[in-house]
Amino acid sequence: ILNVEQSPQSLHVQEGDSTNFTCSFPSSNFYALHWYRWETAKSPEALFVMTLNGDEKKKGRISATLNTKEGYSYLYIKGSQPEDSATYLCVLIGGADGLTFGKGTHLIIQP
Amino acid sequence: EAGVTQFPSHSVIEKGQTVTLRCDPISGHDNLYWYRRVMGKEIKFLLHFVKESKQDESGMPNNRFLAERTGGTYSTLKVQPAELEDSGVYFCASSQRGNYGYTFGSGTRLTVV
């Protein structure tokens, strides 16, 4: 069973500040890693698919990096806005197309 | 292309009753996953089908839960008998074999009273 750790579990950030959080995973048996944005009662929204060591991806104010050798991915949000409040999920794709979910980082942007 | 569809979108049942949830994956997607989010807790994986075969059902909480995917198309998840702790949102996702793009359904919100 793969162990995907996300930290912190929850995070309060002042509007306008930048923030980042982490997804850690075993460096072996890695195929791909997804970041999702999740709001309660909605489907998770795919943000990034990360596959290669050193990947850096950006979508608006949100960006992500991947280090498969040391087993972590960072998600960065620049200039946080209230609409960024959500749970951010890290999902590890392992062998046989298996999915392992992290527990999520619950982000609250305070005006 | 049509997305992953789930129904019902909401279900309220009494403890002890039976409920069947359905997931229609994107046509041609061999991989189908069920998972759920219980109120206030993390999203948990339930099981993974590859076509009609159960690839991994390690996340199924107990034998009150039965998932099927006859013919490798849509899948059903039956809860019998339902308990209060089964309340939550049940999601389904699908993908093509070897493709890391997963499409999620909108979920079924199950409330057991």
Side-chain angles (χ1 to χ4, degrees), chain A residues 31-32 34 36 38 40-44 87 89 93 96-97 99 101 103, chain B residues 31 33 35 37 42-43 48 55 91 97-98 100-102 104-106 109:
Chain A
Y31 282 70
H34 288 206
Y36 288 94
W38 173 298
T40 304
K42 293 184 181 180
S43 274
T87 297
L89 287 171
I93 317 303
D97 292 333
L99 298 175
F101 287 90
K103 294 185 178 183
Chain B
N31 288 314
Y33 307 83
Y35 55 99
R37 189 182 199 189
E42 71 272 17
I43 298 166
H48 169 206
Q55 180 77 18
F91 285 90
R97 288 301 295 280
Y100 304 134
Y102 295 87
F104 292 89
S106 56
R109 182 172 294 278

PDB file of all heavy atoms in Angstrom, chain A residues 31-32 34 36 38 40-44 87 89 93 96-97 99 101 103, chain B residues 31 33 35 37 42-43 48 55 91 97-98 100-102 104-106 109:
ATOM      1  N   TYR A  31       4.501   6.495 -11.181  1.00  0.00           N
ATOM      2  CA  TYR A  31       4.136   6.630 -12.576  1.00  0.00           C
ATOM      3  C   TYR A  31       3.736   8.070 -12.889  1.00  0.00           C
ATOM      4  O   TYR A  31       4.181   8.645 -13.856  1.00  0.00           O
ATOM      5  CB  TYR A  31       2.989   5.680 -12.933  1.00  0.00           C
ATOM      6  CG  TYR A  31       3.427   4.258 -13.139  1.00  0.00           C
ATOM      7  CD1 TYR A  31       3.858   3.484 -12.058  1.00  0.00           C
ATOM      8  CD2 TYR A  31       3.421   3.691 -14.409  1.00  0.00           C
ATOM      9  CE1 TYR A  31       4.274   2.178 -12.248  1.00  0.00           C
ATOM     10  CE2 TYR A  31       3.838   2.392 -14.595  1.00  0.00           C
ATOM     11  CZ  TYR A  31       4.266   1.637 -13.525  1.00  0.00           C
ATOM     12  OH  TYR A  31       4.681   0.340 -13.723  1.00  0.00           O
ATOM     13  N   ALA A  32       2.861   8.608 -12.079  1.00  0.00           N
ATOM     14  CA  ALA A  32       2.407   9.980 -12.301  1.00  0.00           C
ATOM     15  C   ALA A  32       1.768  10.499 -11.018  1.00  0.00           C
ATOM     16  O   ALA A  32       1.422   9.734 -10.121  1.00  0.00           O
ATOM     17  CB  ALA A  32       1.395  10.054 -13.453  1.00  0.00           C
ATOM     18  N   HIS A  34      -1.098  13.509  -9.669  1.00  0.00           N
ATOM     19  CA  HIS A  34      -2.097  14.509 -10.043  1.00  0.00           C
ATOM     20  C   HIS A  34      -2.342  15.442  -8.862  1.00  0.00           C
ATOM     21  O   HIS A  34      -2.369  14.996  -7.707  1.00  0.00           O
ATOM     22  CB  HIS A  34      -3.441  13.846 -10.354  1.00  0.00           C
ATOM     23  CG  HIS A  34      -3.470  13.090 -11.634  1.00  0.00           C
ATOM     24  ND1 HIS A  34      -4.634  12.872 -12.340  1.00  0.00           N
ATOM     25  CD2 HIS A  34      -2.498  12.495 -12.351  1.00  0.00           C
ATOM     26  CE1 HIS A  34      -4.364  12.174 -13.424  1.00  0.00           C
ATOM     27  NE2 HIS A  34      -3.085  11.932 -13.452  1.00  0.00           N
ATOM     28  N   TYR A  36      -5.377  17.928  -7.610  1.00  0.00           N
ATOM     29  CA  TYR A  36      -6.779  18.288  -7.841  1.00  0.00           C
ATOM     30  C   TYR A  36      -7.188  19.360  -6.853  1.00  0.00           C
ATOM     31  O   TYR A  36      -6.745  19.369  -5.699  1.00  0.00           O
ATOM     32  CB  TYR A  36      -7.708  17.092  -7.628  1.00  0.00           C
ATOM     33  CG  TYR A  36      -7.633  16.037  -8.700  1.00  0.00           C
ATOM     34  CD1 TYR A  36      -6.795  14.942  -8.562  1.00  0.00           C
ATOM     35  CD2 TYR A  36      -8.416  16.128  -9.841  1.00  0.00           C
ATOM     36  CE1 TYR A  36      -6.728  13.964  -9.536  1.00  0.00           C
ATOM     37  CE2 TYR A  36      -8.351  15.156 -10.825  1.00  0.00           C
ATOM     38  CZ  TYR A  36      -7.507  14.081 -10.662  1.00  0.00           C
ATOM     39  OH  TYR A  36      -7.436  13.122 -11.643  1.00  0.00           O
ATOM     40  N   TRP A  38     -10.529  20.648  -4.920  1.00  0.00           N
ATOM     41  CA  TRP A  38     -11.792  20.022  -4.540  1.00  0.00           C
ATOM     42  C   TRP A  38     -12.582  20.976  -3.666  1.00  0.00           C
ATOM     43  O   TRP A  38     -12.092  21.454  -2.664  1.00  0.00           O
ATOM     44  CB  TRP A  38     -11.479  18.735  -3.783  1.00  0.00           C
ATOM     45  CG  TRP A  38     -12.650  18.032  -3.177  1.00  0.00           C
ATOM     46  CD1 TRP A  38     -13.480  18.504  -2.226  1.00  0.00           C
ATOM     47  CD2 TRP A  38     -13.074  16.703  -3.457  1.00  0.00           C
ATOM     48  NE1 TRP A  38     -14.405  17.551  -1.888  1.00  0.00           N
ATOM     49  CE2 TRP A  38     -14.180  16.442  -2.629  1.00  0.00           C
ATOM     50  CE3 TRP A  38     -12.617  15.724  -4.316  1.00  0.00           C
ATOM     51  CZ2 TRP A  38     -14.845  15.238  -2.660  1.00  0.00           C
ATOM     52  CZ3 TRP A  38     -13.282  14.505  -4.324  1.00  0.00           C
ATOM     53  CH2 TRP A  38     -14.380  14.258  -3.518  1.00  0.00           C
ATOM     54  N   THR A  40     -16.270  21.129  -1.558  1.00  0.00           N
ATOM     55  CA  THR A  40     -17.282  20.229  -1.034  1.00  0.00           C
ATOM     56  C   THR A  40     -18.497  20.193  -1.959  1.00  0.00           C
ATOM     57  O   THR A  40     -18.929  21.211  -2.458  1.00  0.00           O
ATOM     58  CB  THR A  40     -17.716  20.685   0.369  1.00  0.00           C
ATOM     59  OG1 THR A  40     -16.564  20.754   1.192  1.00  0.00           O
ATOM     60  CG2 THR A  40     -18.707  19.710   0.975  1.00  0.00           C
ATOM     61  N   ALA A  41     -19.032  19.009  -2.178  1.00  0.00           N
ATOM     62  CA  ALA A  41     -20.218  18.773  -3.006  1.00  0.00           C
ATOM     63  C   ALA A  41     -19.957  19.019  -4.492  1.00  0.00           C
ATOM     64  O   ALA A  41     -20.891  19.093  -5.279  1.00  0.00           O
ATOM     65  CB  ALA A  41     -21.408  19.602  -2.539  1.00  0.00           C
ATOM     66  N   LYS A  42     -18.705  19.123  -4.866  1.00  0.00           N
ATOM     67  CA  LYS A  42     -18.360  19.215  -6.280  1.00  0.00           C
ATOM     68  C   LYS A  42     -17.326  18.159  -6.624  1.00  0.00           C
ATOM     69  O   LYS A  42     -16.658  17.621  -5.748  1.00  0.00           O
ATOM     70  CB  LYS A  42     -17.789  20.603  -6.607  1.00  0.00           C
ATOM     71  CG  LYS A  42     -18.781  21.732  -6.476  1.00  0.00           C
ATOM     72  CD  LYS A  42     -18.147  23.033  -6.903  1.00  0.00           C
ATOM     73  CE  LYS A  42     -19.134  24.173  -6.762  1.00  0.00           C
ATOM     74  NZ  LYS A  42     -18.523  25.472  -7.175  1.00  0.00           N
ATOM     75  N   SER A  43     -17.205  17.861  -7.902  1.00  0.00           N
ATOM     76  CA  SER A  43     -16.171  16.924  -8.325  1.00  0.00           C
ATOM     77  C   SER A  43     -14.806  17.579  -8.229  1.00  0.00           C
ATOM     78  O   SER A  43     -14.679  18.779  -8.471  1.00  0.00           O
ATOM     79  CB  SER A  43     -16.388  16.492  -9.769  1.00  0.00           C
ATOM     80  OG  SER A  43     -17.257  15.413  -9.845  1.00  0.00           O
ATOM     81  N   PRO A  44     -13.809  16.809  -7.918  1.00  0.00           N
ATOM     82  CA  PRO A  44     -12.452  17.371  -7.946  1.00  0.00           C
ATOM     83  C   PRO A  44     -12.131  17.903  -9.332  1.00  0.00           C
ATOM     84  O   PRO A  44     -12.478  17.306 -10.334  1.00  0.00           O
ATOM     85  CB  PRO A  44     -11.569  16.178  -7.596  1.00  0.00           C
ATOM     86  CG  PRO A  44     -12.458  15.222  -6.886  1.00  0.00           C
ATOM     87  CD  PRO A  44     -13.808  15.397  -7.508  1.00  0.00           C
ATOM     88  N   THR A  87     -10.072  22.273  -0.893  1.00  0.00           N
ATOM     89  CA  THR A  87      -9.140  21.217  -0.495  1.00  0.00           C
ATOM     90  C   THR A  87      -8.332  20.835  -1.722  1.00  0.00           C
ATOM     91  O   THR A  87      -8.884  20.634  -2.804  1.00  0.00           O
ATOM     92  CB  THR A  87      -9.898  19.991   0.042  1.00  0.00           C
ATOM     93  OG1 THR A  87     -10.606  20.371   1.221  1.00  0.00           O
ATOM     94  CG2 THR A  87      -8.936  18.865   0.377  1.00  0.00           C
ATOM     95  N   LEU A  89      -6.009  18.141  -3.429  1.00  0.00           N
ATOM     96  CA  LEU A  89      -5.712  16.712  -3.339  1.00  0.00           C
ATOM     97  C   LEU A  89      -4.510  16.345  -4.188  1.00  0.00           C
ATOM     98  O   LEU A  89      -4.394  16.787  -5.324  1.00  0.00           O
ATOM     99  CB  LEU A  89      -6.891  15.893  -3.864  1.00  0.00           C
ATOM    100  CG  LEU A  89      -8.145  15.812  -3.025  1.00  0.00           C
ATOM    101  CD1 LEU A  89      -9.240  15.136  -3.825  1.00  0.00           C
ATOM    102  CD2 LEU A  89      -7.877  15.029  -1.755  1.00  0.00           C
ATOM    103  N   ILE A  93      -0.362   8.027  -8.921  1.00  0.00           N
ATOM    104  CA  ILE A  93      -0.690   6.943  -9.833  1.00  0.00           C
ATOM    105  C   ILE A  93       0.454   5.944  -9.790  1.00  0.00           C
ATOM    106  O   ILE A  93       1.596   6.271 -10.129  1.00  0.00           O
ATOM    107  CB  ILE A  93      -0.871   7.450 -11.280  1.00  0.00           C
ATOM    108  CG1 ILE A  93      -1.670   8.755 -11.315  1.00  0.00           C
ATOM    109  CG2 ILE A  93      -1.510   6.369 -12.143  1.00  0.00           C
ATOM    110  CD1 ILE A  93      -3.021   8.679 -10.685  1.00  0.00           C
ATOM    111  N   ALA A  96      -0.158  -0.688 -12.332  1.00  0.00           N
ATOM    112  CA  ALA A  96      -1.487  -1.234 -12.633  1.00  0.00           C
ATOM    113  C   ALA A  96      -2.567  -0.169 -12.544  1.00  0.00           C
ATOM    114  O   ALA A  96      -3.708  -0.457 -12.193  1.00  0.00           O
ATOM    115  CB  ALA A  96      -1.816  -2.397 -11.688  1.00  0.00           C
ATOM    116  N   ASP A  97      -2.202   1.050 -12.869  1.00  0.00           N
ATOM    117  CA  ASP A  97      -3.157   2.161 -12.874  1.00  0.00           C
ATOM    118  C   ASP A  97      -3.811   2.389 -11.530  1.00  0.00           C
ATOM    119  O   ASP A  97      -4.905   2.920 -11.448  1.00  0.00           O
ATOM    120  CB  ASP A  97      -4.246   1.938 -13.932  1.00  0.00           C
ATOM    121  CG  ASP A  97      -3.690   2.033 -15.348  1.00  0.00           C
ATOM    122  OD1 ASP A  97      -2.678   2.740 -15.520  1.00  0.00           O
ATOM    123  OD2 ASP A  97      -4.249   1.397 -16.236  1.00  0.00           O
ATOM    124  N   LEU A  99      -4.652   4.077  -7.964  1.00  0.00           N
ATOM    125  CA  LEU A  99      -4.686   5.434  -7.444  1.00  0.00           C
ATOM    126  C   LEU A  99      -4.497   5.411  -5.942  1.00  0.00           C
ATOM    127  O   LEU A  99      -5.121   4.608  -5.262  1.00  0.00           O
ATOM    128  CB  LEU A  99      -6.047   6.089  -7.718  1.00  0.00           C
ATOM    129  CG  LEU A  99      -6.508   6.304  -9.150  1.00  0.00           C
ATOM    130  CD1 LEU A  99      -7.924   6.842  -9.156  1.00  0.00           C
ATOM    131  CD2 LEU A  99      -5.594   7.278  -9.840  1.00  0.00           C
ATOM    132  N   PHE A 101      -4.736   8.213  -2.905  1.00  0.00           N
ATOM    133  CA  PHE A 101      -5.075   9.593  -2.578  1.00  0.00           C
ATOM    134  C   PHE A 101      -4.329  10.037  -1.331  1.00  0.00           C
ATOM    135  O   PHE A 101      -4.243   9.290  -0.356  1.00  0.00           O
ATOM    136  CB  PHE A 101      -6.570   9.721  -2.284  1.00  0.00           C
ATOM    137  CG  PHE A 101      -7.444   9.616  -3.493  1.00  0.00           C
ATOM    138  CD1 PHE A 101      -7.921   8.386  -3.911  1.00  0.00           C
ATOM    139  CD2 PHE A 101      -7.818  10.735  -4.193  1.00  0.00           C
ATOM    140  CE1 PHE A 101      -8.746   8.280  -5.015  1.00  0.00           C
ATOM    141  CE2 PHE A 101      -8.640  10.634  -5.308  1.00  0.00           C
ATOM    142  CZ  PHE A 101      -9.102   9.422  -5.712  1.00  0.00           C
ATOM    143  N   LYS A 103      -4.529  12.833   1.836  1.00  0.00           N
ATOM    144  CA  LYS A 103      -5.691  13.253   2.611  1.00  0.00           C
ATOM    145  C   LYS A 103      -6.118  14.681   2.295  1.00  0.00           C
ATOM    146  O   LYS A 103      -7.156  15.136   2.765  1.00  0.00           O
ATOM    147  CB  LYS A 103      -5.401  13.095   4.104  1.00  0.00           C
ATOM    148  CG  LYS A 103      -5.224  11.648   4.507  1.00  0.00           C
ATOM    149  CD  LYS A 103      -5.051  11.505   6.008  1.00  0.00           C
ATOM    150  CE  LYS A 103      -4.920  10.041   6.381  1.00  0.00           C
ATOM    151  NZ  LYS A 103      -4.815   9.846   7.838  1.00  0.00           N
TER     152      LYS A 103
ATOM    153  N   ASN B  31     -10.578   1.519 -17.185  1.00  0.00           N
ATOM    154  CA  ASN B  31     -10.416   1.706 -15.739  1.00  0.00           C
ATOM    155  C   ASN B  31     -11.628   2.423 -15.160  1.00  0.00           C
ATOM    156  O   ASN B  31     -12.053   3.455 -15.689  1.00  0.00           O
ATOM    157  CB  ASN B  31      -9.187   2.555 -15.423  1.00  0.00           C
ATOM    158  CG  ASN B  31      -7.900   1.801 -15.663  1.00  0.00           C
ATOM    159  OD1 ASN B  31      -7.761   0.661 -15.269  1.00  0.00           O
ATOM    160  ND2 ASN B  31      -6.957   2.450 -16.319  1.00  0.00           N
ATOM    161  N   TYR B  33     -13.072   3.539 -11.176  1.00  0.00           N
ATOM    162  CA  TYR B  33     -12.741   3.599  -9.748  1.00  0.00           C
ATOM    163  C   TYR B  33     -13.951   4.120  -8.973  1.00  0.00           C
ATOM    164  O   TYR B  33     -14.651   5.026  -9.432  1.00  0.00           O
ATOM    165  CB  TYR B  33     -11.586   4.558  -9.481  1.00  0.00           C
ATOM    166  CG  TYR B  33     -10.345   4.311 -10.311  1.00  0.00           C
ATOM    167  CD1 TYR B  33     -10.252   4.805 -11.596  1.00  0.00           C
ATOM    168  CD2 TYR B  33      -9.273   3.599  -9.789  1.00  0.00           C
ATOM    169  CE1 TYR B  33      -9.120   4.582 -12.365  1.00  0.00           C
ATOM    170  CE2 TYR B  33      -8.137   3.377 -10.549  1.00  0.00           C
ATOM    171  CZ  TYR B  33      -8.067   3.876 -11.834  1.00  0.00           C
ATOM    172  OH  TYR B  33      -6.946   3.668 -12.593  1.00  0.00           O
ATOM    173  N   TYR B  35     -14.752   5.734  -5.136  1.00  0.00           N
ATOM    174  CA  TYR B  35     -14.225   6.196  -3.867  1.00  0.00           C
ATOM    175  C   TYR B  35     -15.279   7.038  -3.158  1.00  0.00           C
ATOM    176  O   TYR B  35     -16.293   7.383  -3.757  1.00  0.00           O
ATOM    177  CB  TYR B  35     -12.907   6.956  -4.031  1.00  0.00           C
ATOM    178  CG  TYR B  35     -12.946   8.121  -4.976  1.00  0.00           C
ATOM    179  CD1 TYR B  35     -13.089   9.406  -4.496  1.00  0.00           C
ATOM    180  CD2 TYR B  35     -12.801   7.938  -6.349  1.00  0.00           C
ATOM    181  CE1 TYR B  35     -13.111  10.483  -5.356  1.00  0.00           C
ATOM    182  CE2 TYR B  35     -12.832   9.016  -7.209  1.00  0.00           C
ATOM    183  CZ  TYR B  35     -12.978  10.284  -6.701  1.00  0.00           C
ATOM    184  OH  TYR B  35     -13.012  11.347  -7.553  1.00  0.00           O
ATOM    185  N   ARG B  37     -16.141  10.046   0.129  1.00  0.00           N
ATOM    186  CA  ARG B  37     -15.710  11.000   1.130  1.00  0.00           C
ATOM    187  C   ARG B  37     -16.773  11.049   2.212  1.00  0.00           C
ATOM    188  O   ARG B  37     -17.895  11.506   1.979  1.00  0.00           O
ATOM    189  CB  ARG B  37     -15.509  12.386   0.533  1.00  0.00           C
ATOM    190  CG  ARG B  37     -14.849  13.352   1.507  1.00  0.00           C
ATOM    191  CD  ARG B  37     -14.711  14.703   0.912  1.00  0.00           C
ATOM    192  NE  ARG B  37     -13.702  15.478   1.632  1.00  0.00           N
ATOM    193  CZ  ARG B  37     -13.491  16.769   1.428  1.00  0.00           C
ATOM    194  NH1 ARG B  37     -14.199  17.416   0.538  1.00  0.00           N
ATOM    195  NH2 ARG B  37     -12.562  17.410   2.105  1.00  0.00           N
ATOM    196  N   GLU B  42     -11.087  12.246   5.007  1.00  0.00           N
ATOM    197  CA  GLU B  42     -10.434  12.284   3.710  1.00  0.00           C
ATOM    198  C   GLU B  42     -11.167  11.425   2.691  1.00  0.00           C
ATOM    199  O   GLU B  42     -11.952  10.556   3.023  1.00  0.00           O
ATOM    200  CB  GLU B  42      -8.973  11.819   3.829  1.00  0.00           C
ATOM    201  CG  GLU B  42      -8.785  10.335   4.088  1.00  0.00           C
ATOM    202  CD  GLU B  42      -8.792   9.976   5.555  1.00  0.00           C
ATOM    203  OE1 GLU B  42      -9.247  10.796   6.375  1.00  0.00           O
ATOM    204  OE2 GLU B  42      -8.359   8.865   5.876  1.00  0.00           O
ATOM    205  N   ILE B  43     -10.878  11.687   1.451  1.00  0.00           N
ATOM    206  CA  ILE B  43     -11.422  10.867   0.381  1.00  0.00           C
ATOM    207  C   ILE B  43     -10.753   9.512   0.428  1.00  0.00           C
ATOM    208  O   ILE B  43      -9.531   9.419   0.549  1.00  0.00           O
ATOM    209  CB  ILE B  43     -11.157  11.524  -0.979  1.00  0.00           C
ATOM    210  CG1 ILE B  43     -11.865  12.866  -1.034  1.00  0.00           C
ATOM    211  CG2 ILE B  43     -11.600  10.618  -2.119  1.00  0.00           C
ATOM    212  CD1 ILE B  43     -11.415  13.722  -2.163  1.00  0.00           C
ATOM    213  N   HIS B  48     -11.193  -0.630  -7.706  1.00  0.00           N
ATOM    214  CA  HIS B  48     -10.753  -0.340  -9.068  1.00  0.00           C
ATOM    215  C   HIS B  48     -11.118  -1.514  -9.967  1.00  0.00           C
ATOM    216  O   HIS B  48     -10.752  -2.658  -9.684  1.00  0.00           O
ATOM    217  CB  HIS B  48      -9.238  -0.104  -9.047  1.00  0.00           C
ATOM    218  CG  HIS B  48      -8.578  -0.044 -10.391  1.00  0.00           C
ATOM    219  ND1 HIS B  48      -7.249  -0.361 -10.572  1.00  0.00           N
ATOM    220  CD2 HIS B  48      -9.055   0.309 -11.621  1.00  0.00           C
ATOM    221  CE1 HIS B  48      -6.922  -0.207 -11.841  1.00  0.00           C
ATOM    222  NE2 HIS B  48      -7.996   0.197 -12.499  1.00  0.00           N
ATOM    223  N   GLN B  55      -9.675  -5.122 -10.068  1.00  0.00           N
ATOM    224  CA  GLN B  55      -8.221  -5.064  -9.999  1.00  0.00           C
ATOM    225  C   GLN B  55      -7.749  -4.925  -8.555  1.00  0.00           C
ATOM    226  O   GLN B  55      -6.744  -5.500  -8.155  1.00  0.00           O
ATOM    227  CB  GLN B  55      -7.714  -3.892 -10.823  1.00  0.00           C
ATOM    228  CG  GLN B  55      -6.224  -3.695 -10.842  1.00  0.00           C
ATOM    229  CD  GLN B  55      -5.525  -4.687 -11.749  1.00  0.00           C
ATOM    230  OE1 GLN B  55      -6.156  -5.298 -12.602  1.00  0.00           O
ATOM    231  NE2 GLN B  55      -4.246  -4.877 -11.573  1.00  0.00           N
ATOM    232  N   PHE B  91     -17.950   8.890  -5.194  1.00  0.00           N
ATOM    233  CA  PHE B  91     -17.489   9.340  -6.504  1.00  0.00           C
ATOM    234  C   PHE B  91     -17.015   8.168  -7.339  1.00  0.00           C
ATOM    235  O   PHE B  91     -16.537   7.156  -6.829  1.00  0.00           O
ATOM    236  CB  PHE B  91     -16.318  10.325  -6.361  1.00  0.00           C
ATOM    237  CG  PHE B  91     -16.740  11.685  -5.917  1.00  0.00           C
ATOM    238  CD1 PHE B  91     -16.808  11.995  -4.574  1.00  0.00           C
ATOM    239  CD2 PHE B  91     -17.049  12.661  -6.833  1.00  0.00           C
ATOM    240  CE1 PHE B  91     -17.195  13.255  -4.151  1.00  0.00           C
ATOM    241  CE2 PHE B  91     -17.426  13.928  -6.425  1.00  0.00           C
ATOM    242  CZ  PHE B  91     -17.503  14.218  -5.084  1.00  0.00           C
ATOM    243  N   ARG B  97      -6.780   2.721 -20.323  1.00  0.00           N
ATOM    244  CA  ARG B  97      -5.624   1.967 -19.873  1.00  0.00           C
ATOM    245  C   ARG B  97      -4.362   2.716 -20.246  1.00  0.00           C
ATOM    246  O   ARG B  97      -4.199   3.152 -21.381  1.00  0.00           O
ATOM    247  CB  ARG B  97      -5.568   0.582 -20.514  1.00  0.00           C
ATOM    248  CG  ARG B  97      -6.589  -0.399 -20.029  1.00  0.00           C
ATOM    249  CD  ARG B  97      -6.502  -0.661 -18.553  1.00  0.00           C
ATOM    250  NE  ARG B  97      -5.279  -1.302 -18.092  1.00  0.00           N
ATOM    251  CZ  ARG B  97      -5.022  -2.594 -18.160  1.00  0.00           C
ATOM    252  NH1 ARG B  97      -5.874  -3.415 -18.712  1.00  0.00           N
ATOM    253  NH2 ARG B  97      -3.897  -3.077 -17.687  1.00  0.00           N
ATOM    254  N   GLY B  98      -3.453   2.868 -19.291  1.00  0.00           N
ATOM    255  CA  GLY B  98      -2.183   3.516 -19.551  1.00  0.00           C
ATOM    256  C   GLY B  98      -2.258   5.012 -19.725  1.00  0.00           C
ATOM    257  O   GLY B  98      -1.267   5.657 -20.012  1.00  0.00           O
ATOM    258  N   TYR B 100      -3.087   8.621 -17.893  1.00  0.00           N
ATOM    259  CA  TYR B 100      -3.195   9.143 -16.548  1.00  0.00           C
ATOM    260  C   TYR B 100      -4.233  10.247 -16.408  1.00  0.00           C
ATOM    261  O   TYR B 100      -4.294  10.885 -15.379  1.00  0.00           O
ATOM    262  CB  TYR B 100      -1.820   9.635 -16.079  1.00  0.00           C
ATOM    263  CG  TYR B 100      -0.769   8.559 -16.159  1.00  0.00           C
ATOM    264  CD1 TYR B 100       0.474   8.817 -16.700  1.00  0.00           C
ATOM    265  CD2 TYR B 100      -1.041   7.277 -15.707  1.00  0.00           C
ATOM    266  CE1 TYR B 100       1.432   7.826 -16.772  1.00  0.00           C
ATOM    267  CE2 TYR B 100      -0.093   6.276 -15.774  1.00  0.00           C
ATOM    268  CZ  TYR B 100       1.149   6.550 -16.311  1.00  0.00           C
ATOM    269  OH  TYR B 100       2.093   5.578 -16.390  1.00  0.00           O
ATOM    270  N   GLY B 101      -4.999  10.476 -17.401  1.00  0.00           N
ATOM    271  CA  GLY B 101      -6.061  11.473 -17.297  1.00  0.00           C
ATOM    272  C   GLY B 101      -7.320  10.837 -16.761  1.00  0.00           C
ATOM    273  O   GLY B 101      -7.946  10.021 -17.423  1.00  0.00           O
ATOM    274  N   TYR B 102      -7.669  11.205 -15.538  1.00  0.00           N
ATOM    275  CA  TYR B 102      -8.850  10.630 -14.908  1.00  0.00           C
ATOM    276  C   TYR B 102      -9.978  11.636 -14.963  1.00  0.00           C
ATOM    277  O   TYR B 102      -9.794  12.806 -14.696  1.00  0.00           O
ATOM    278  CB  TYR B 102      -8.551  10.257 -13.460  1.00  0.00           C
ATOM    279  CG  TYR B 102      -7.519   9.164 -13.363  1.00  0.00           C
ATOM    280  CD1 TYR B 102      -6.164   9.472 -13.353  1.00  0.00           C
ATOM    281  CD2 TYR B 102      -7.892   7.835 -13.317  1.00  0.00           C
ATOM    282  CE1 TYR B 102      -5.215   8.473 -13.298  1.00  0.00           C
ATOM    283  CE2 TYR B 102      -6.947   6.832 -13.252  1.00  0.00           C
ATOM    284  CZ  TYR B 102      -5.612   7.151 -13.246  1.00  0.00           C
ATOM    285  OH  TYR B 102      -4.687   6.169 -13.199  1.00  0.00           O
ATOM    286  N   PHE B 104     -13.630  12.510 -13.344  1.00  0.00           N
ATOM    287  CA  PHE B 104     -14.476  12.203 -12.203  1.00  0.00           C
ATOM    288  C   PHE B 104     -15.936  12.470 -12.529  1.00  0.00           C
ATOM    289  O   PHE B 104     -16.264  13.394 -13.263  1.00  0.00           O
ATOM    290  CB  PHE B 104     -14.083  13.067 -11.013  1.00  0.00           C
ATOM    291  CG  PHE B 104     -12.733  12.733 -10.448  1.00  0.00           C
ATOM    292  CD1 PHE B 104     -11.593  13.352 -10.934  1.00  0.00           C
ATOM    293  CD2 PHE B 104     -12.610  11.798  -9.437  1.00  0.00           C
ATOM    294  CE1 PHE B 104     -10.349  13.043 -10.427  1.00  0.00           C
ATOM    295  CE2 PHE B 104     -11.370  11.487  -8.919  1.00  0.00           C
ATOM    296  CZ  PHE B 104     -10.231  12.101  -9.411  1.00  0.00           C
ATOM    297  N   GLY B 105     -16.803  11.663 -11.939  1.00  0.00           N
ATOM    298  CA  GLY B 105     -18.231  11.941 -11.988  1.00  0.00           C
ATOM    299  C   GLY B 105     -18.579  12.992 -10.955  1.00  0.00           C
ATOM    300  O   GLY B 105     -17.740  13.400 -10.150  1.00  0.00           O
ATOM    301  N   SER B 106     -19.811  13.422 -10.983  1.00  0.00           N
ATOM    302  CA  SER B 106     -20.238  14.489 -10.070  1.00  0.00           C
ATOM    303  C   SER B 106     -20.587  13.958  -8.686  1.00  0.00           C
ATOM    304  O   SER B 106     -20.810  14.732  -7.768  1.00  0.00           O
ATOM    305  CB  SER B 106     -21.427  15.233 -10.659  1.00  0.00           C
ATOM    306  OG  SER B 106     -22.470  14.322 -10.953  1.00  0.00           O
ATOM    307  N   ARG B 109     -24.508  11.847  -3.423  1.00  0.00           N
ATOM    308  CA  ARG B 109     -24.516  12.158  -1.988  1.00  0.00           C
ATOM    309  C   ARG B 109     -25.509  11.226  -1.311  1.00  0.00           C
ATOM    310  O   ARG B 109     -26.712  11.292  -1.553  1.00  0.00           O
ATOM    311  CB  ARG B 109     -24.901  13.617  -1.756  1.00  0.00           C
ATOM    312  CG  ARG B 109     -24.875  14.015  -0.289  1.00  0.00           C
ATOM    313  CD  ARG B 109     -25.067  15.511  -0.113  1.00  0.00           C
ATOM    314  NE  ARG B 109     -23.952  16.266  -0.653  1.00  0.00           N
ATOM    315  CZ  ARG B 109     -22.801  16.480  -0.015  1.00  0.00           C
ATOM    316  NH1 ARG B 109     -22.615  15.997   1.207  1.00  0.00           N
ATOM    317  NH2 ARG B 109     -21.855  17.189  -0.579  1.00  0.00           N
TER     318      ARG B 109
END
